[in-house]
Amino acid sequence: MKIRVGMGSCGIAAGALEVWGALVNDLAGRQADITVEQTGCIGMCYLEPLLDVVSDQRTVTYGRVTPQMVANILKAHLDQGTVLTEQVVATSEAPSPFMQGQVRIALRHCGLINPENITSYEEQGGYQALSRAVGTMTPLEIIAEIKQSGLRGRGGAGFPTWFKWQAAHDNAGQVKYIVCNADEGDPGAFMDRSLLEGDPHTVLEGMVLAGLAIGASQGVVYCRAEYPLAIKRLEIAIKQAEERGYLGANILGSNFSFAIRVKQGAGAFVCGEETALIASLEGERGMPRLKPPYPAEAGYWQQPTNINNVETYANVPWIIANGGQAFAVYGTEKSKGTKVFALAGKIERGGLAEVPIGMSLEEVIYGIGGGIKGGRQFKAVQLGGPSGGCIPAHLLHTPVDYEALVATGAIMGSGGMVVMDDRTCMVDIARYFLDFTQKESCGKCVQCRIGTKRMLEMLERICAGLGQEGDIELLEELAKRIGEGSLCGLGQGAPNPVLTTLKYFRHEYEAHIREHKCPAHQCKALIKYIIDPDKCTGCTICARKCPVKCIQGEKRQPHVINHEQCIKCGNCYEACPAKFAAVVVE
Amino acid sequence: MLCSCQDSNSLELGFPDDEVDLSRLDKVLANYHQQPGSLIPVLQKAQDIYGYLPLSVMTKIAEELKLKPARVFGVATFYTQFRLKPLGKYVILLCHGTACHVNGSERIETALMEELKIKADETTPDGLFTLGSAACLGCCSLAPVMMINGQAYGPLTPDRACQVVRDIYTQEATQVEGGQPA
């Protein structure tokens, strides 16, 4: 029997360490032939902490596990030969609806193996692809397999991977580099973090295969500093891979040598852009450089460099082991394979899901994600982070495919999918993203540096009820100029959230500007919390929850909010018992 | 913008007046000074040692790595990870990612500012808490989230966030009473 506990960052934040502690303690007092293993995140984040009991080829998954529950689980399985039914969330024969519909290639091992033990990876067939390639495949054969797979960069640009590798292969250089972009900066995206925490070896193996393909001898993983667990597990994995001969000099007895090191980011979203990343690796401020020359020709220290995203590399060993054709079976005509999405926001089942490209947004959000939390109404789904856009309800049938999403005004992006309901203000969302891009702009290009600031100022004015006629037209004009005048994707994409929200939710902007109203009741300057005297029973809960004590009233008498003092925090609205629902927002 | 031509406007006045033991840097500099492009790892290790980047430390790094001080200052101010002033013992990183924003991170921020009686990016007068922010911590399924010294807390409500802070205050107070250093 084996017992697995999910120990990704979110599992740990939800209490997995305490569950592990209880498990180890309880088992210490028993004589039982049980292996316990820490794994990465399987992606069912909404049920963390997760615990699997595996025996006789059958897996029983427990969710929202507490340390107290562990004793009962062990009692059920070990003493009573049964399961703790009321806490079971899935079994091998009855998988969770979250997992059904997924095709897990990049995520194939996450949540199932111990990321800190290379044997766990090898037992699943890990490093077989590398063993085969190092002995029997030429660089061009490796590239051909990737070409056949149709793999496109999973970081957001969707550029054909084989093409980049071919270019780096063809270009001459003293030394060539493989770089893994693990600077996952899109707010709402955590695919790369989970991959690195759950299966670092697949990324390393993918990098070595890329190194073989282009003729590189050195690899660097540029990982953002906000992912300390990912960095720790990468470093353990590198050490173990070196010990086994998969990294270092003369890999597996061949004359191919390849070393990988980890470089920590220092908190700059713009360093996710490949030339800014290279500048950062060279010890400079992360300012993008003009392309051409592309990194494949002159990248890190002006040498041929191939940069790919974590998820892109994670697919490579599987493609080499199973053949490009097996990957191309999934997906659409121009976008082959699968994509990992991070489902978050107002969704019932939030987490990581890998689906065949071409599945509709509706199937992902409702089939896998379980629809809107609390049964509220779907309003929009935001894809692609700060360079992306918001897609409204009438376009839910859109397949997740690079070209189909671009046609809506959004982009596929790195995979962040934030779901919004009727209580989300779309003007505020545009303001939120501009606030982000403004802070993260490196400052090099005038249009981006000053343009985003002016757009932000306008959006802040609009959300504060000071919008004017002509603001919308000015926003649209600025958006066009910023897109045209920016050197890199950050500036080029910065106007997208504004443009898509204007395209699909123009009426919200107009309500803010012309009527000084926020239809979603979010913008503080435009809302008021009022207690309905007919519904209020004077239970005093709201008065006690008010952080500025601005609600007056005797017990059992209707209460009143003092609007001069009210800071519009919404605590009273949340606190009023549903059976009264006396606090309304206008 | 500070103009350096007059003493009263000197750039140095913008930095805290700290004496630090520069010899603690020696090992780091010995490790890295042969590696081109290693300025960022050196600054990161220096910040690990001192808790922030004192001016004298940045000047020494510039000397040893044979870089102009302006270049070091440029890198230190470009990346948000680097602090030029000391932080509190507990650094609260409140996540402002999209999922957290949509799930009410602004209300958490308001509640924490009320509780700690400071504004965003400030440190409490007792040096215990700094209220910082992160663009996204990558724990979106637990939104809204905050991280304090590497430990993540979520899903938060304004009450829960304030309770975490109060628990830390209690913990610190008992440590002081027990004769342990705060």
Side-chain angles (χ1 to χ4, degrees):
Chain A
M1 180 184 281
K2 187 191 276 198
I3 302 185
R4 297 190 287 237
V5 178
M7 300 279 239
S9 289
C10 37
I12 292 174
L17 275 173
E18 288 77 19
V19 169
W20 177 261
L23 179 66
V24 163
N25 256 347
D26 284 0
L27 283 176
R30 286 174 176 272
Q31 309 277 20
D33 181 22
I34 301 180
T35 347
V36 288
E37 204 166 55
Q38 296 187 1
T39 66
C41 176
I42 200 164
M44 288 200 287
C45 307
Y46 67 104
L47 289 172
E48 291 282 5
L50 287 160
L51 187 150
D52 283 347
V53 180
V54 188
S55 65
D56 302 321
Q57 312 274 354
R58 188 185 179 229
T59 306
V60 179
T61 305
Y62 294 93
R64 302 203 179 101
V65 179
T66 60
Q68 296 73 27
M69 223 187 269
V70 171
N72 293 336
I73 294 174
L74 289 176
K75 210 188 327 177
H77 282 264
L78 299 178
D79 301 336
Q80 296 160 350
T82 177
V83 305
L84 194 64
T85 321
E86 61 272 23
Q87 306 293 354
V88 172
V89 296
T91 59
S92 342
E93 56 295 352
S96 151
F98 188 84
M99 302 298 284
Q100 277 178 313
Q102 286 196 43
V103 172
R104 295 167 68 91
I105 295 178
L107 295 180
R108 61 196 180 283
H109 301 139
C110 289
L112 302 175
I113 64 167
N114 180 350
E116 298 188 17
N117 184 347
I118 193 172
T119 314
S120 206
Y121 181 68
E122 287 171 322
E123 278 169 0
Q124 299 294 320
Y127 289 113
Q128 293 288 320
L130 179 60
S131 307
R132 182 182 143 228
V134 134
T136 62
M137 291 177 82
T138 65
L140 290 175
E141 280 168 349
I142 297 174
I143 295 174
E145 206 69 67
I146 300 295
K147 183 175 183 181
Q148 178 147 70
S149 75
L151 180 64
R152 292 168 69 165
R154 293 293 190 249
F159 197 80
T161 306
W162 77 269
F163 192 92
K164 263 187 178 173
W165 291 20
Q166 184 76 55
H169 168 274
D170 295 344
N171 284 318
Q174 293 168 326
V175 54
K176 299 188 187 181
Y177 297 97
I178 292 288
V179 174
C180 175
N181 186 342
D183 192 50
E184 185 172 58
D186 279 357
F190 52 102
M191 305 73 55
D192 295 349
R193 173 178 66 68
S194 290
L195 260 169
L196 290 170
E197 289 177 356
D199 192 9
H201 286 285
T202 188
V203 179
L204 297 177
E205 191 179 355
M207 288 173 74
V208 185
L209 286 162
L212 256 177
I214 74 165
S217 57
Q218 293 198 42
V220 185
V221 181
Y222 186 99
C223 186
R224 60 190 299 232
E226 292 88 334
Y227 288 171
L229 185 56
I231 292 173
K232 175 183 162 211
R233 290 195 175 152
L234 263 172
E235 287 178 341
I236 293 173
I238 289 172
K239 190 146 171 289
Q240 292 179 347
E242 283 168 350
E243 284 164 4
R244 288 269 215 274
Y246 299 120
L247 277 177
N250 303 105
I251 289 178
L252 296 172
S254 72
N255 54 13
F256 174 64
S257 302
F258 193 81
I260 298 181
R261 65 184 168 96
V262 179
K263 159 89 169 69
Q264 275 192 47
F269 171 75
V270 69
C271 288
E273 197 280 338
E274 59 181 6
T275 59
L277 193 158
I278 290 174
S280 183
L281 278 176
E282 294 175 358
E284 310 262 347
R285 292 187 286 171
M287 288 186 159
R289 300 168 178 173
L290 205 54
K291 297 187 282 199
Y294 289 88
E297 188 191 328
Y300 187 36
W301 300 124
Q302 299 301 308
Q303 301 297 318
T305 305
N306 179 70
I307 304 186
N308 276 127
N309 173 265
V310 169
E311 193 185 330
T312 312
Y313 286 121
N315 281 299
V316 168
W318 190 94
I319 291 173
I320 300 298
N322 295 286
Q325 189 51 41
F327 191 75
V329 147
Y330 304 103
T332 59
E333 196 202 320
K334 292 205 184 127
S335 314
K336 296 292 181 196
T338 58
K339 177 79 189 82
V340 180
F341 287 99
L343 283 167
K346 299 294 180 85
I347 194 152
E348 196 61 51
R349 300 192 280 255
L352 278 187
E354 187 172 358
V355 302
I357 292 183
M359 185 182 271
S360 73
L361 281 167
E362 188 162 14
E363 278 176 82
V364 177
I365 294 170
Y366 288 90
I368 293 178
I372 306 298
K373 212 192 286 191
R376 294 196 76 95
Q377 213 188 1
F378 174 91
K379 187 165 189 183
V381 59
Q382 210 280 338
L383 278 130
S387 312
C390 297
I391 298 178
H394 72 268
L395 289 174
L396 271 172
H397 58 273
T398 310
V400 284
D401 157 281
Y402 288 98
E403 280 71 33
L405 288 170
V406 165
T408 68
I411 58 170
M412 172 92 83
S414 62
M417 209 187 258
V418 183
V419 175
M420 298 163 183
D421 68 15
D422 54 310
R423 287 198 287 189
T424 310
C425 172
M426 303 314 288
V427 185
D428 173 68
I429 288 294
R431 181 200 61 76
Y432 163 84
F433 279 117
L434 250 314
D435 184 61
F436 178 86
T437 11
Q438 226 295 296
K439 287 190 178 115
E440 298 292 338
S441 167
C442 77
K444 187 171 186 172
C445 306
V446 173
Q447 301 283 8
C448 175
R449 184 176 79 243
I450 301 180
T452 53
K453 192 156 182 76
R454 293 292 170 247
M455 285 187 93
L456 176 61
E457 283 169 356
M458 291 173 68
L459 286 164
E460 282 174 341
R461 260 196 307 104
I462 293 172
C463 288
L466 300 168
Q468 296 155 7
E469 272 311 315
D471 274 350
I472 294 179
E473 290 71 18
L474 190 51
L475 277 170
E476 285 172 327
E477 191 190 333
L478 259 177
K480 188 157 174 271
R481 301 274 169 252
I482 294 169
E484 285 168 355
S486 299
L487 174 55
C488 84
L490 188 154
Q492 287 158 6
N496 287 351
V498 177
L499 288 173
T500 51
T501 48
L502 273 172
K503 181 173 179 179
Y504 299 117
F505 300 96
R506 199 179 188 96
H507 57 279
E508 283 197 37
Y509 283 84
E510 288 168 348
H512 280 70
I513 293 171
R514 294 180 189 159
E515 298 157 51
H516 298 298
K517 279 205 183 325
C518 173
H521 301 309
Q522 290 302 309
C523 295
K524 287 191 182 161
L526 303 178
I527 57 170
K528 225 183 216 177
Y529 286 96
I530 298 181
I531 298 177
D532 181 345
D534 293 330
K535 291 193 180 157
C536 176
T537 62
C539 71
T540 76
I541 290 178
C542 63
R544 284 181 272 135
K545 287 282 179 183
C546 175
V548 293
K549 302 276 173 275
C550 75
I551 303 183
Q552 307 295 332
E554 300 291 318
K555 241 189 219 177
R556 286 189 274 277
Q557 295 296 319
H559 281 40
V560 175
I561 296 171
N562 180 341
H563 291 116
E564 310 268 294
Q565 292 175 321
C566 174
I567 59 168
K568 321 240 180 109
C569 68
N571 269 4
C572 53
Y573 184 78
E574 301 288 323
C576 182
K579 60 186 175 201
F580 306 135
V583 181
V584 295
V585 53
E586 310 189 337
Chain B
M1 234 177 75
L2 291 170
C3 165
S4 301
C5 19
Q6 292 176 292
D7 277 341
S8 55
N9 282 345
S10 151
L11 197 63
E12 278 79 1
L13 292 176
F15 289 88
D17 186 21
D18 288 333
E19 289 287 329
V20 292
D21 176 6
L22 292 174
S23 67
R24 295 168 75 189
L25 268 179
D26 290 344
K27 194 157 167 236
V28 173
L29 290 167
N31 269 342
Y32 281 100
H33 91 276
Q34 296 286 25
Q35 286 182 36
S38 58
L39 176 57
I40 293 170
V42 168
L43 287 171
Q44 286 168 330
K45 293 265 185 306
Q47 185 161 281
D48 284 342
I49 293 171
Y50 298 100
Y52 70 110
L53 292 173
L55 181 58
S56 55
V57 166
M58 288 196 284
T59 315
K60 172 141 193 205
I61 291 173
E63 274 168 28
E64 295 293 322
L65 296 182
K66 308 219 186 328
L67 299 169
K68 296 201 168 130
R71 164 104 181 265
V72 176
F73 186 70
V75 168
T77 48
F78 183 87
Y79 294 96
T80 58
Q81 186 187 38
F82 297 127
R83 315 281 180 174
L84 302 183
K85 293 199 166 89
L87 291 176
K89 184 172 178 186
Y90 294 94
V91 180
I92 303 174
L93 289 180
L94 182 61
C95 182
H96 286 286
T98 322
C100 289
H101 179 81
V102 157
N103 278 308
S105 60
E106 291 192 336
R107 290 180 51 210
I108 312 287
E109 186 171 50
T110 311
L112 284 171
M113 292 197 302
E114 280 284 330
E115 179 74 24
L116 294 166
K117 311 264 184 287
I118 54 174
K119 297 207 199 72
D121 290 330
E122 288 182 357
T123 302
T124 52
D126 58 8
L128 212 50
F129 286 101
T130 300
L131 183 55
S133 64
C136 180
L137 292 169
C139 297
C140 315
S141 46
L142 294 168
V145 170
M146 70 180 173
M147 197 179 259
I148 304 183
N149 292 7
Q151 164 100 14
Y153 299 88
L156 292 173
T157 59
D159 279 348
R160 254 183 243 157
C162 293
Q163 192 56 51
V164 171
V165 163
R166 286 180 212 137
D167 288 345
I168 294 177
Y169 265 121
T170 312
Q171 193 187 309
E172 284 290 310
T174 46
Q175 276 192 334
V176 170
E177 280 163 28
Q180 314 252 338

